[in-house]
Amino acid sequence: MALYEHTFLARQDLAQAQVDALAEAATKIVEGMGGKVVKTETWGLRSLAYRIAKNRKAHYVMLEIDAPGAVVAELERQTQINEDVIRYMTVKVDELEQGPTVMMRKQERDRERRSERGGDRPDRGGDRPDRGPRRDAQEEAA
C-alpha cells in the first residue's frame, strides 16, 4: 500500500465538533475500504492567504494514510461533494513523518515564546531610551 498525506480546509463557521466529525467521516471512508489512517492532526482555525468562497479563515486538518490508490480516489470524491470542505489536497509521500508535523511544532514554539514574553503582546520598547517628560502644546507654541 502507498502512503499519503490528505489535508483539507473546512469552513470557518463550523464548530470544532463538526470539524472533528469531518475527520472521523474521512477516517471511516479509508478504513471501510481497507486502508489505515496512521495519524490525524487538527491544526486549528488559521487565516487564509486569500479569500476562498467568502471565507477568510479555515479549519485545517491533516490525515496520514496508508492505503491503495482506489481508496484515496474515493476519499477525494467524497471530500469534493462535501459543502463544508472548501479545499483539499492529497500528496503521495515516500515515508510518513514521525512525531508531530512541522505545523504542530510551530504552534508549540509560538506558544512557548508567548509564555516567555509574559503575554500575547510583544514588548514595545526595546532598547530605546526614555525621552523624558512630555511637553504640552502650550509650551511648544511659546
Side-chain angles (χ1 to χ4, degrees):
M1 288 195 279
L3 304 173
Y4 298 92
E5 288 182 358
H6 176 76
T7 306
F8 66 88
L9 282 61
R11 290 190 343 231
Q12 66 185 0
D13 58 343
L14 296 179
Q16 187 60 44
Q18 292 171 304
V19 176
D20 294 340
L22 286 173
E24 186 63 32
T27 301
K28 285 182 181 175
I29 292 169
V30 171
E31 291 175 351
M33 295 185 69
K36 179 181 170 189
V37 175
V38 178
K39 181 169 53 173
T40 302
E41 283 189 357
T42 302
W43 295 340
L45 185 66
R46 302 178 57 84
S47 296
L48 298 171
Y50 54 90
R51 286 176 49 173
I52 301 172
K54 299 182 182 178
N55 290 286
R56 292 192 181 278
K57 294 184 176 191
H59 294 274
Y60 285 66
V61 179
M62 194 264 309
L63 305 169
E64 290 185 351
I65 301 169
D66 185 6
V71 174
V72 174
E74 176 63 17
L75 175 63
E76 287 185 340
R77 187 184 77 78
Q78 293 285 341
T79 303
Q80 196 170 14
I81 292 171
N82 195 328
E83 293 177 356
D84 292 333
V85 177
I86 55 176
R87 286 283 192 278
Y88 68 91
M89 181 173 66
T90 307
V91 178
K92 186 174 183 179
V93 294
D94 294 330
E95 62 183 64
L96 298 175
E97 194 171 339
Q98 300 298 319
T101 60
V102 173
M103 293 297 288
M104 295 302 284
R105 289 192 302 253
K106 180 181 181 300
Q107 287 177 352
E108 286 296 318
R109 188 178 65 234
D110 291 346
R111 227 177 267 128
E112 288 173 10
R113 285 182 181 167
R114 270 189 238 116
S115 65
E116 287 174 6
R117 279 197 303 238
D120 288 340
R121 293 184 55 93
D123 184 18
R124 298 252 188 231
D127 311 356
R128 289 175 33 184
D130 187 16
R131 296 190 303 186
R134 206 170 187 163
R135 297 191 328 209
D136 290 355
Q138 292 174 349
E139 290 178 18
E140 290 179 12

